[in-house]
Amino acid sequence: MKQLKTNWAAIFTVASFGLTTLSAQESISVTVKNNVGFDRNEVVALNSKSLSGFMKGKKEADIHIKNAITGQNEPLQWIDYDGDKKSDELLFMANVKAKGSAKYILVNIPGAPAAESKLTTYSRFVPERTDDYTWENDKVAFRTYGPDAQQRTEQKRENGTLSSGIDIWLKRTSKSVINEWYKGYLTDPMFYHKDRGEGYDPYHVGASRGTGGTGVWENDSLLVSKNFISYKTIATGPLRTVFELDYAPYSNYGVKETKRISLDLNTNFSKFEITYSSKKQLPNFATGITLHNNEGKAELFTEKGIVAHHEKIDGVYIGEGIVAVPGTIQKAFINKSKTKDQSNVIALLKPTGKAVYYAGFAWAKAGQATNETEWNALLKKQAEIVASPLVITVK
C-alpha cells in the first residue's frame, strides 16, 4: 500500500509540471487537439496497436488515464469489436477547448481502483416485449424491432410491429431507463407511453423510416427491409455501446444489410455504419426521417450533409435529424404521401456498399434544444464534429 501511494504522488507531480511521461514503461502521453471553434467533450478512441509497446506485460485492469493538468482520473473503456478476446480500442472522454488541445497521461498502476462514471451507455435485446433491440445514453434512447414482432403482425397476433424504422424514446433524465421502463411494461403495457417525470415513448414509426431507417428509392417509392433477423451485442459500458443487426434480403435488388450501430456518452446522435450488398447495381442507398402526418417542417442542408425535421408531439417541440459523412449525399428531398407512414424526408447516399451517418433528436423537455433554431445549430455542430474529428497523438 505504501508503494501505491508513492506512485500516485509521482503522477500528480508530473501532471502539475506538464511533463509527458513518468518512465518509458509506466506511462505515455496522449494529446487531443480540437480544430473547430467550439469546446468539445466527447469520447475518443486509442487504437490498441498504438499502445502495444506500452501494454506489453501489463493488464488492462491496471491501466488508468489522468488529465495531465488537473490530475483527475478519467473513466475509460476497452472494446473488442471482432470477438477475438483482444481489445481493439481504448476509449476515454476528452474535454478540449475551442481551437485548443488537452493532455492526458496513460499510466499503469496495479491494484488501483478504476475511475467510476455516474453515467453510462447501454443496449440490449428485449425478449420481454417480443424482441425489440433498445439502446440509450445519458441524453437519448432508441429502439427497433425483431423477427417475432414481424411474425406477430404477419399472423395478425397482438403486440406485432412490422418495421425496420428506428423508434426514438424521449427521455429527460441522465440515468438509464431501459430496464425500468420494460419492467413496468410487464404489468402495464402502456407504462412507457406515459411520462412519469423521466420521459416516455409517444413516437410513431409504423412502416416509416422513423429517425434513421434505410431503404432504396426507386420509381417514387422507398423499398425497405422487414425487421432485423439477428443481433449481436458488441459492447456496453460507461462511454460507448455497440451492436449489430442483420436484415434478410429485400426488393428485386436483393439488398442485404448489416447495421453496426453505436452510441457514445454525451451525444444526441447514434452512429450508423452499414455494410450492404445486392444482386444487381443499386441506384442509391437511402436513409430518412418520418414526416408523420406532414404537420411538421422539414429542412435540407444538403451541402453540409444534413436533413432536419421539426415537429410537436403532445404540444412539445422535438427535432430529428440525420448528419451524413461529407460528400456522401447525392440528393435529399421531401416526399409527402397520402399513404399512412410513407411520408419521409429522404437522403440518397452514394451506393458504395457502405454507408456512415448519424441519426438523432432533441426533445424540448430534456432541455437540449427547445426550438428549430437551437436544433439546427446542434445539427450543424454535429456536422463539424463529423468533418473534423479530434486529433490524437500518442507519445
Side-chain angles (χ1 to χ4, degrees):
M1 191 65 180
K2 182 178 180 180
Q3 182 62 41
L4 177 61
K5 289 182 178 178
T6 301
N7 284 345
W8 278 114
I11 294 166
F12 280 101
T13 300
V14 171
S16 66
F17 284 94
L19 301 179
T20 57
T21 59
L22 293 175
S23 70
Q25 295 181 335
E26 295 307 309
S27 75
I28 54 176
S29 174
V30 180
T31 301
V32 184
K33 185 179 180 181
N34 175 16
N35 290 318
V36 302
F38 52 84
D39 297 351
R40 294 165 71 170
N41 186 30
E42 61 191 71
V43 176
V44 296
L46 300 177
N47 189 296
S48 292
K49 291 181 179 179
S50 70
L51 304 176
S52 58
F54 170 69
M55 288 301 299
K56 188 174 182 179
K58 300 179 180 67
K59 298 178 181 179
E60 291 179 357
D62 294 332
I63 303 304
H64 306 265
I65 192 157
K66 300 184 70 63
N67 185 301
I69 303 301
T70 67
Q72 181 175 334
N73 193 19
E74 304 287 352
L76 54 76
Q77 179 182 350
W78 295 89
I79 295 187
D80 171 14
Y81 287 99
D82 55 16
D84 65 354
K85 308 301 181 183
K86 298 178 182 179
S87 294
D88 299 299
E89 286 183 342
L90 172 60
L91 311 180
F92 69 96
M93 183 73 76
N95 194 331
V96 195
K97 296 293 184 181
K99 297 289 186 177
S101 62
K103 292 186 178 181
Y104 296 84
I105 301 173
L106 201 64
V107 293
N108 176 55
I109 306 181
E116 294 185 3
S117 174
K118 295 179 180 180
L119 306 175
T120 191
T121 68
Y122 185 60
S123 73
R124 73 174 176 94
F125 180 70
V126 187
E128 59 264 43
R129 204 215 75 91
T130 68
D131 53 356
D132 299 344
Y133 198 99
T134 309
W135 63 105
E136 67 177 325
N137 66 2
D138 54 322
K139 293 179 178 290
V140 289
F142 304 80
R143 72 168 168 174
T144 193
Y145 311 98
D148 181 69
Q150 175 183 320
Q151 292 173 7
R152 287 172 180 272
T153 299
E154 293 173 339
Q155 296 170 2
K156 302 187 185 306
R157 294 186 289 139
E158 64 178 6
N159 294 328
T161 305
L162 179 55
S163 177
S164 56
I166 305 299
D167 189 21
I168 62 178
W169 277 8
L170 311 182
K171 59 183 288 187
R172 50 182 171 136
T173 176
S174 60
K175 75 174 190 178
S176 180
V177 300
I178 287 174
N179 289 337
E180 181 181 328
W181 287 12
Y182 277 116
K183 181 179 179 181
Y185 168 84
L186 294 176
T187 54
D188 176 8
M190 294 300 294
F191 184 85
Y192 52 74
H193 294 291
K194 302 173 184 176
D195 188 353
R196 294 171 170 81
E198 296 180 340
Y200 70 133
D201 174 25
Y203 191 82
H204 173 75
V205 177
S208 77
R209 295 304 77 207
T211 297
T214 56
V216 176
W217 183 257
E218 181 186 59
N219 298 327
D220 295 328
S221 295
L222 193 60
L223 312 175
V224 300
S225 67
K226 294 184 178 181
N227 300 23
F228 70 80
I229 58 173
S230 63
Y231 74 93
K232 178 170 68 174
T233 302
I234 295 172
T236 62
L239 300 176
R240 177 176 296 169
T241 185
V242 189
F243 59 96
E244 288 184 352
L245 304 174
D246 288 315
Y247 292 80
Y250 66 92
S251 82
N252 61 322
Y253 290 98
V255 184
K256 187 177 181 181
E257 299 179 19
T258 296
K259 296 177 180 174
R260 175 173 286 188
I261 301 174
S262 58
L263 180 62
D264 287 357
L265 198 70
N266 194 42
T267 179
N268 292 72
F269 299 90
S270 288
K271 182 179 183 180
F272 288 71
E273 299 173 276
I274 303 172
T275 56
Y276 57 93
S277 60
S278 59
K279 293 180 179 179
K280 56 181 181 178
Q281 181 63 41
L282 295 175
N284 54 68
F285 187 75
T287 182
I289 302 169
T290 180
L291 300 179
H292 285 133
N293 298 318
N294 298 313
E295 295 173 351
K297 175 184 176 182
E299 292 188 278
L300 310 176
F301 306 98
T302 309
E303 74 285 353
K304 296 182 180 295
I306 297 170
V307 296
H309 185 236
H310 314 277
E311 63 180 322
K312 288 188 176 181
I313 297 179
D314 294 339
V316 180
Y317 175 81
I318 179 172
E320 304 102 342
I322 292 170
V323 178
V325 170
T328 59
I329 293 183
Q330 290 182 319
K331 178 183 178 182
F333 57 94
I334 298 164
N335 179 59
K336 292 186 177 181
S337 174
K338 294 181 180 179
T339 303
K340 182 178 175 60
D341 298 334
Q342 293 305 306
S343 292
N344 296 277
V345 55
I346 296 172
L348 303 184
L349 309 178
K350 296 177 181 179
T352 62
K354 294 184 179 180
V356 180
Y357 59 87
Y358 297 76
F361 66 95
W363 182 40
K365 283 192 175 182
Q368 295 142 14
T370 61
N371 54 49
E372 295 177 17
T373 300
E374 292 178 358
W375 177 233
N376 284 343
L378 274 179
L379 286 168
K380 291 174 182 178
K381 182 178 286 188
Q382 178 67 19
E384 287 193 64
I385 288 171
V386 173
S388 184
L390 292 169
V391 180
I392 304 170
T393 305
V394 178
K395 292 183 180 180

